[in-house]
Structures are given as C-alpha cells and as structure tokens.
C-alpha cells in the first residue's frame, strides 16, 4: 500500500510512479556546486567541511509539460514565448540532444535563476490515463521538458519562478509533471498555484512524502520517506516502524523537519 502526502494539509493520495523521461545532461557550474547558503549556521562539520545535514551538491530538477497540439512544439516559438514572458530577449543557445527521440534542445539563461536551464521537446510516452489526473494530459501527443539545478538556499523561489515561467509562457500546456517526485499538476492547479495574482512560493512543492505498509490496518508498521529534498542540497528523510494509526502525525512531523532543514 503506497500513499503520497501532499504537504502538511492533511490530504493523502495514491500516486503511482511512472518511469521518468530521458533528459539532457546538465551539470551545475563548478563554482556554485555544493555552496552552502550564507545562513547555514555553525552545525557539526565533517572532514570535508560539510555540515551534518548537507550534501556535496544538489541533484537536478526536471519537469515535463504536456503539449496538446498535433504539431510538435517549435524551438524558436518556445524561445520567443519565454522571452515575451520575462519581458526581454533571453540568452539561449542550442545543444545536441542527448537522446535520438528529442526533437531539439535549448540551453537558456533565465533572469532570477542561477544555473542554466535546459528545454527540450519529444514525443509523449504512452501513459495509463489512470496515472494522470486529467484526460487532456493523457491525450497530449508531445511533451516539453525543462531541467536545471536549483540554487541551494533559494530552491523554493527558483521552483516558483520556473513553474510560473513554463506555465505562463506556454499557457496551452494541459499539465506538468515534476519528475523529481512524480507529482502531476493539472492546468487548473497550475493557474491557482503559479499564475494567480496572490500566488507565492511554497516550499512544500519541493518534496512529497510516501508512506508504505504491507497491509491495511491501524497497527501495521509503515515506512515514510521523502522524495525531492536532495535537489535542495539536503538529504532525504525517512521514518520506519510507524504504526498506521499515527500516519498523519508522522507526515506532519517529517514536513516540519524538512522545512527546518531548508
């Protein structure tokens, strides 16, 4: 039995995890890799100088947007749309796709995001409609990918900025999947969380909590683990042997610890 908790708002949902798409390799700039935020504090440090709750470097973040048109997305049109959204021409260059299924790849410098951002397009993989929250997403024949390294200490702000950019510059996208933890955003959710006038960064978008049990009863021991924190430069969390009756409390506790780490 697998359950994914979305944030600390008391909602839980079953969320099967599909295989992630192939994406272009993108390394963080050497001078930024592993930098700790200025306010990281004076916690215990290992021989390599890292704090106990630090990783040497964050892992990449990637998103897949569902493109509903019969015609494949065009690289020049996507580049112009991104520039229109940010309000000026953006610095973008092409790169050789890492996979033969990719139509094109762009490497873009986005204002407000430290690392370069890769965009690419490819034909959508076959998907079980039951794994997607909206029929329009399942029917989309193409996807547009986005990948970067979120800046340690600024992950929530950069996540919000990039999701607002992707979904605002390309309003025809029917939904987005966050590859790091397989969360699917419908178009309605994207508009509410990233396009509304009162939308603000929410760090709980960065991770999910999965709870797994061998059986369904109140005393069944459960395992909880996060997915998504490693892209923020901190380790994933887990709790073991939690009685199922305490599942909600365990999820709330992990959320608070994750927030403190960030």
């Amino acid at each position: 039995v697998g359950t994914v908790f979305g944030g600390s708002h008391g909602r839980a949902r079953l969320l099967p995890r599909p295989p992630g798409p192939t994406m272009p390799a993108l390394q963080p700039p050497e001078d930024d890799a592993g930098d700790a935020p200025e306010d990281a504090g004076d916690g215990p440090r290992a021989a390599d100088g890292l704090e106990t709750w630090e990783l040497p470097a964050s892992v990449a973040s990637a998103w897949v947007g569902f493109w509903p048109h019969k015609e494949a997305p065009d690289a020049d049109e996507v580049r112009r749309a991104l520039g229109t959204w940010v309000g000026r021409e953006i610095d973008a260059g092409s790169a050789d796709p890492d996979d033969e299924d990719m139509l094109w790849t762009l490497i873009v410098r986005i204002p407000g995001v430290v690392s370069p951002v890769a965009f690419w397009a490819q034909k959508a993989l076959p998907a079980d409609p039951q794994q997607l929250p909206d029929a329009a997403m399942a029917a989309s024949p193409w996807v547009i990918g986005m990948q970067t390294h979120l800046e340690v200490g600024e992950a929530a702000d950069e996540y919000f900025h990039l999701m607002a950019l992707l979904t605002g510059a390309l309003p025809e996208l029917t939904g987005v999947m966050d590859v790091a933890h397989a969360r699917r955003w419908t178009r309605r959710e994207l508009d509410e969380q990233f396009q509304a006038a009162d939308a603000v960064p929410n760090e709980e978008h960065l991770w999910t909590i999965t709870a797994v049990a061998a059986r369904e009863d109140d005393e069944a021991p459960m395992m909880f683990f996060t997915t998504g924190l490693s892209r923020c430069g901190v380790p994933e969390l887990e709790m073991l042997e939690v009685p199922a009756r305490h599942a909600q409390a365990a999820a709330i506790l992990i959320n608070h610890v994750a927030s403190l780490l960030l």
Side-chain angles (χ1 to χ4, degrees):
V1 180
T3 302
V4 173
F5 291 82
S8 59
H9 307 296
R11 296 178 299 170
R13 63 189 185 280
L14 292 174
L15 189 59
R17 185 187 305 277
T22 305
M23 60 195 71
L26 184 63
Q27 299 298 324
E30 292 183 0
D31 56 346
D32 290 335
D35 287 352
E38 293 181 0
D39 59 347
D42 299 320
R45 291 187 175 271
D48 57 8
L50 293 173
E51 286 197 8
T52 302
W53 292 98
E54 254 177 42
L55 296 180
S58 62
V59 301
S61 290
W63 300 262
V64 172
F66 294 82
W67 183 260
H69 305 301
K70 292 182 178 179
E71 299 79 15
D74 179 77
D76 289 334
E77 291 180 1
V78 170
R79 185 179 66 249
R80 287 194 295 269
L82 296 174
T84 299
W85 179 256
V86 300
R88 63 181 175 83
E89 186 174 352
I90 58 175
D91 182 14
S94 60
D96 293 332
D98 284 359
D99 188 278
E100 62 181 9
D101 293 330
M102 293 180 179
L103 304 178
W104 47 260
T105 302
L106 294 174
I107 307 298
V108 183
R109 284 287 183 178
I110 301 296
V113 179
V114 174
S115 295
V117 184
F119 292 87
W120 75 94
Q122 68 184 84
K123 194 170 184 61
L125 299 174
D128 181 351
Q130 294 183 350
Q131 293 187 4
L132 296 171
D134 189 337
M137 297 167 67
S140 297
W142 305 93
V143 295
I144 296 177
M146 178 175 70
Q147 178 182 330
T148 192
H149 278 264
L150 298 175
E151 182 73 359
V152 174
E154 303 294 335
D157 289 339
E158 288 196 349
Y159 186 101
F160 178 84
H161 187 60
L162 287 166
M163 285 286 277
L165 168 71
L166 179 66
T167 58
L170 303 172
E172 56 265 76
L173 292 179
T174 58
V176 170
M177 183 178 73
D178 184 333
V179 177
H181 51 49
R183 177 170 182 176
R184 286 79 153 173
W185 298 86
T186 65
R187 185 71 235 187
R188 179 179 178 180
E189 291 172 331
L190 294 169
D191 290 339
E192 291 174 349
Q193 296 295 324
F194 303 102
Q195 299 301 323
D198 59 350
V200 295
N202 181 353
E203 64 182 12
E204 290 182 6
H205 293 160
L206 294 167
W207 73 86
T208 57
I209 301 170
T210 303
V212 181
R215 61 184 190 277
E216 293 190 64
D217 65 65
D218 287 346
E219 298 303 319
M222 301 190 74
M223 176 180 70
F224 293 77
F225 59 90
T226 63
T227 308
L229 288 177
S230 58
R231 62 176 164 186
C232 307
V234 296
E236 303 292 349
L237 303 174
E238 66 177 26
M239 291 180 67
L240 306 177
E241 303 296 326
V242 178
R245 66 180 184 278
H246 297 309
Q248 195 64 44
I252 292 172
L253 176 59
I254 292 178
N255 266 326
H256 283 299
V257 174
S259 181
L260 288 172
L261 285 179
L262 297 180

